[in-house]
Amino acid sequence: MAWSYRKRIKIIPGVHLNFSKRGISTSIGVKGMSVNLSSSGTRLNTNFSGFSNSYRLSGSSSPRTPLQSYPDPQPFYTELSDNIFSADIHEITSQNMAGIKESILMAQQQKAELKTDLKKIKKALIFTKTKKVASYIFIYGLVNKNIVQQVNEDIKAQKEALKETKIVIDNSAVNIDIQFDDPSKRKYEQLQHSFKNLTTAHKIWDITGAHFQDRVAARSSANTLVNRKDARIGFKSLPIITSNYEALYFQNVNGADLYFYPTFILMYKNDQNFAIIGFDEFNVTFSSVSFTETSSVPRDSKVIRKTWAKVNKNGTPDKRFKSNYQIPVVQYGRLRFSSSSGINEEYQISNFEFAQEFANSFKEYKILCRELA
């Protein structure tokens, strides 16, 4: 493979992530026995007194055929509503990414339990300090020095436990250290560069709805109506994953946000509700959009022609409307994200060239990932 991982990463006691050319798997167990979860199925591995065995508990189901993506012929956009959204977050995770998701969930469970322990330790420390003060108030601490010594030892031990528990909580995350070879690193850096350019686009919209319109009946030049909302993108890290590469972040206005890591895409609502999708299942489709812009035209967009608020079938202004006025038709880029597991998200970008560049860079990097898998 073009990048290499530490072969075995300890998440919590008894749980490890295993990285190899076949993908990512999770091992759960103790010395002598473990369960391995991967894309090829579930196996029980035992090793006692020098004898080892491996049993298949379940096999992988037939791989799903990826859905083909084609740019929809939408020559004009204006605004309305009809929802565009992905499937339920719990149904989207790729089959070969289920292991890493389970590991993250277990790490989060451990973190929650540690926070409960932290509260108990704090209460115990307060009680012990109160006990020390009380020993002096009621004199017995002055008479029996051993009592104070024991209390001081308890305070010291509780402070140390408090410190160590805080450190473990702060580090309760899946740590993925990615090392590229030179050709792969250049391809990924190209994707990063194209995304950085994309972040400079003057306007980025999340397309949350689309609806067909009868142009003749509406006296409009637009045959597709859309509902769009401003969205943010940028480089951003998640608390549940630590990596030597920041994720490429897309805000999702009506669902889970998207985070692009070098080997998978993560859709994230919160620490307990997220999905992980492999690059091989994730599609980025680019298309050109001619948008009838009723708002101000972004400074990095190109006006390709003008139309009228009310038009005849042949494109001429409808003279029955005295207050009829011209509207610019602007060229935007559209990025559609999809997967066989149910991702369905669309973004409209004011900078046509940057949107196209990002889609091309993603496609090239995805091809490289497949070749090196």
Side-chain angles (χ1 to χ4, degrees), residues 93-141:
T93 294
S94 300
Q95 191 176 28
N96 63 341
M97 292 290 163
I100 188 172
K101 180 180 178 180
E102 289 301 318
S103 297
I104 294 173
L105 287 171
M106 292 184 73
Q108 294 309 306
Q109 182 181 350
Q110 182 206 32
K111 191 172 185 178
E113 292 172 355
L114 285 169
K115 286 182 177 179
T116 301
D117 292 341
L118 190 67
K119 291 179 180 178
K120 292 179 180 179
I121 296 170
K122 286 180 178 179
K123 288 181 179 179
L125 181 60
I126 292 171
F127 176 78
T128 307
K129 286 181 177 179
T130 304
K131 182 179 178 182
K132 181 179 179 180
V133 173
S135 70
Y136 288 114
I137 294 174
F138 295 104
I139 309 300
Y140 67 85

Side-chain angles (χ1 to χ4, degrees), residues 224-274:
T224 302
L225 303 163
V226 303
N227 185 36
R228 60 181 186 173
K229 296 182 180 179
D230 290 343
R232 300 188 308 273
I233 68 172
F235 292 93
K236 189 174 181 180
S237 297
L238 275 171
I240 60 173
I241 294 179
T242 59
S243 174
N244 52 338
Y245 284 92
E246 277 196 302
L248 317 183
Y249 165 74
F250 284 83
Q251 180 190 17
N252 185 10
V253 175
N254 62 344
D257 296 334
L258 292 106
Y259 294 80
F260 289 61
Y261 285 92
T263 52
F264 56 81
I265 293 90
L266 191 145
M267 288 194 76
Y268 176 87
K269 281 187 177 180
N270 54 52
D271 285 358
Q272 301 301 317
N273 296 287
F274 61 89

Side-chain angles (χ1 to χ4, degrees), residues 305-339:
R305 68 181 188 88
K306 291 189 176 182
T307 185
W308 296 88
K310 298 295 181 180
V311 298
N312 296 315
K313 188 176 180 179
N314 61 3
T316 58
D318 191 331
K319 295 181 179 180
R320 293 177 299 173
F321 297 87
K322 293 182 179 180
S323 59
N324 205 357
Y325 56 92
Q326 283 192 308
I327 304 174
V329 177
V330 186
Q331 184 184 38
Y332 292 143
R334 186 187 74 158
L335 295 174
R336 179 171 182 250
F337 299 157
S338 62
S339 77

Side-chain angles (χ1 to χ4, degrees), residues 144-162:
N144 190 342
K145 301 295 184 182
N146 291 331
I147 293 176
V148 176
Q149 183 179 353
Q150 182 61 51
V151 170
N152 285 335
E153 289 177 0
D154 290 344
I155 290 173
K156 182 179 179 181
Q158 288 163 356
K159 284 183 176 180
E160 187 64 28
L162 198 66

Side-chain angles (χ1 to χ4, degrees), residues 167-327:
I167 292 172
V168 175
I169 289 173
D170 291 340
N171 291 282
S172 291
V174 175
N175 181 19
I176 302 178
D177 185 18
I178 300 166
Q179 303 296 329
F180 290 105
D181 62 15
D182 288 340
S184 302
K185 185 177 181 180
R186 284 193 294 269
K187 284 291 184 182
Y188 188 70
E189 287 177 347
Q190 181 181 334
L191 178 62
Q192 283 185 311
H193 178 73
S194 66
F195 179 75
K196 186 176 181 180
N197 286 339
L198 194 68
T199 64
T200 65
H202 182 58
K203 294 289 288 186
I204 297 169
W205 298 276
D206 185 350
I207 304 300
T208 60
H211 182 76
F212 174 75
Q213 174 179 255
D214 188 330
R215 292 172 56 188
V216 177
R219 315 304 293 177
S220 172
S221 62
N223 61 11
T224 302
L225 303 163
V226 303
N227 185 36
R228 60 181 186 173
K229 296 182 180 179
D230 290 343
R232 300 188 308 273
I233 68 172
F235 292 93
K236 189 174 181 180
S237 297
L238 275 171
I240 60 173
I241 294 179
T242 59
S243 174
N244 52 338
Y245 284 92
E246 277 196 302
L248 317 183
Y249 165 74
F250 284 83
Q251 180 190 17
N252 185 10
V253 175
N254 62 344
D257 296 334
L258 292 106
Y259 294 80
F260 289 61
Y261 285 92
T263 52
F264 56 81
I265 293 90
L266 191 145
M267 288 194 76
Y268 176 87
K269 281 187 177 180
N270 54 52
D271 285 358
Q272 301 301 317
N273 296 287
F274 61 89
I276 302 177
I277 306 96
F279 263 82
D280 58 329
E281 286 192 26
F282 197 89
N283 304 307
V284 175
T285 306
F286 168 82
S287 60
S288 175
V289 173
S290 297
F291 192 90
T292 305
E293 186 58 82
T294 55
S295 300
S296 59
V297 176
R299 59 176 176 266
D300 57 352
S301 300
K302 179 182 178 182
V303 176
I304 54 178
R305 68 181 188 88
K306 291 189 176 182
T307 185
W308 296 88
K310 298 295 181 180
V311 298
N312 296 315
K313 188 176 180 179
N314 61 3
T316 58
D318 191 331
K319 295 181 179 180
R320 293 177 299 173
F321 297 87
K322 293 182 179 180
S323 59
N324 205 357
Y325 56 92
Q326 283 192 308
I327 304 174

